[in-house]
Amino acid sequence: EEREKRERERDTHTSMLGRTSGLPGRHGCCQCQLGKEGAAWRSVRRFRTARISASASSSSASQSSSSQYRRDAGPGDAAPSYEDIDNFPLNKVFFTLFRKKVSENVGYDSPVEGYEGLMEVTRVLNTKFKSREEITAVSKAILVSLFPSWLPPAFRVMFAQPFPEFSLFMNAWVTALCCQWLMGKTTVNEVEVLDEDGKTTRMVPGVKVERCRYLEEAGCAAVCMNSCKFPTQEFFIEDMGLPVT
């Protein structure tokens, strides 16, 4: 029942995003309809300006044909600096491990260093696979590969099931502290959610992303949904036993 609910939610989001049917990895909501040559993998540099980062070998004609898919969206001001976050030693470890796992599962690694290179690999992920289900499945496999195989089931049995409220609180704090290199500045807050009876509400710990770096750099809501939001929800619900949304 829970899986069917998530599938309906995903279908709703996909419909709203205007994904172009029959075109693998292409979404009507943004400029992801760029081809796979030259500057294609560097289709977006900023969610607002959607600049095309062309390689030296890319022709001006290719850039011109791609420009029709650009549009303004997102914050109007410049993105904040993430230099302090990126230079923090522990964040470097997390970033290196994550990018390694992404590249292994996608079968491609970018010659570009840093976060820009990670986003290039992410765009390959979202254009290589033919459906959102495949993209979500591969993305979830990446998350699973980040942890020892015994950890998620052990957490579910030792924490999530006997101490659900504490587990949500702990998960929120760990996410806020350890994932800023991916999402940007985050803080722990409280979120009002429906209780299991569907009638009453309660407050649970949540994570507020001040300005999502991943979404802004991807420049595409469908990329965010299919390769981040949905697989993360499935991982926490199915593997960790935490009812997150």
Side-chain angles (χ1 to χ4, degrees):
E1 183 180 347
E2 185 65 32
R3 178 178 290 274
E4 291 177 358
K5 180 180 178 181
R6 293 199 301 275
E7 287 293 332
R8 288 195 298 271
E9 177 189 1
R10 184 180 299 166
D11 291 337
T12 300
H13 279 294
T14 301
S15 176
M16 292 172 62
L17 295 171
R19 183 180 176 115
T20 305
S21 60
L23 300 176
R26 301 181 179 185
H27 322 116
C29 66
C30 65
Q31 59 278 13
C32 289
Q33 297 182 49
L34 292 171
K36 296 184 179 180
E37 303 298 331
W41 302 129
R42 301 181 180 88
S43 60
V44 187
R45 283 297 297 120
R46 288 288 178 261
F47 195 45
R48 171 68 179 172
T49 59
R51 295 195 298 267
I52 306 300
S53 176
S55 63
S57 61
S58 299
S59 66
S60 58
S62 175
Q63 294 182 43
S64 176
S65 63
S66 298
S67 63
Q68 62 180 305
Y69 298 113
R70 299 184 229 170
R71 77 169 194 176
D72 286 343
D77 56 333
S81 172
Y82 297 103
E83 184 176 357
D84 291 342
I85 293 177
D86 291 341
N87 289 334
F88 189 68
L90 192 58
N91 287 340
K92 287 184 177 181
V93 173
F94 290 148
F95 174 85
T96 301
L97 174 62
F98 183 75
R99 177 163 176 171
K100 179 177 182 292
K101 295 298 183 180
V102 173
S103 299
E104 288 176 353
N105 281 269
V106 175
Y108 168 83
D109 195 9
S110 169
V112 181
E113 296 182 356
Y115 202 90
E116 181 180 354
L118 172 63
M119 297 313 299
E120 185 172 322
V121 179
T122 299
R123 293 185 195 103
V124 175
L125 164 64
N126 282 268
T127 53
K128 176 180 180 179
F129 298 97
K130 296 183 179 181
S131 68
R132 55 182 173 77
E133 289 82 8
E134 288 181 291
I135 296 170
T136 299
V138 173
S139 299
K140 184 190 172 186
I142 293 170
L143 290 175
V144 172
S145 69
L146 294 171
F147 300 89
S149 59
W150 55 267
L151 183 57
F155 180 89
R156 185 172 61 247
V157 173
M158 297 174 64
F159 291 96
Q161 292 176 355
F163 312 110
E165 297 298 325
F166 172 74
S167 297
L168 289 172
F169 179 80
M170 180 170 59
N171 180 68
W173 273 102
V174 171
T175 301
L177 291 173
C178 299
C179 295
Q180 294 197 28
W181 61 270
L182 179 65
M183 301 181 294
K185 185 179 179 181
T186 58
T187 55
V188 175
N189 64 355
E190 285 193 323
V191 182
E192 186 178 18
V193 298
L194 278 175
D195 219 331
E196 294 181 358
D197 59 11
K199 299 178 181 179
T200 59
T201 62
R202 61 192 176 103
M203 303 301 292
V204 298
V207 177
K208 179 182 178 181
V209 181
E210 300 291 341
R211 177 168 174 164
C212 186
R213 182 183 188 181
Y214 186 86
L215 172 59
E216 189 166 10
E217 289 288 342
C220 177
V223 170
C224 173
M225 293 292 180
N226 296 332
S227 60
C228 185
K229 177 178 171 58
F230 293 139
T232 301
Q233 286 181 187
E234 289 189 6
F235 171 72
F236 279 119
I237 294 172
E238 298 175 0
D239 295 80
M240 303 287 282
L242 295 173
V244 302
T245 59

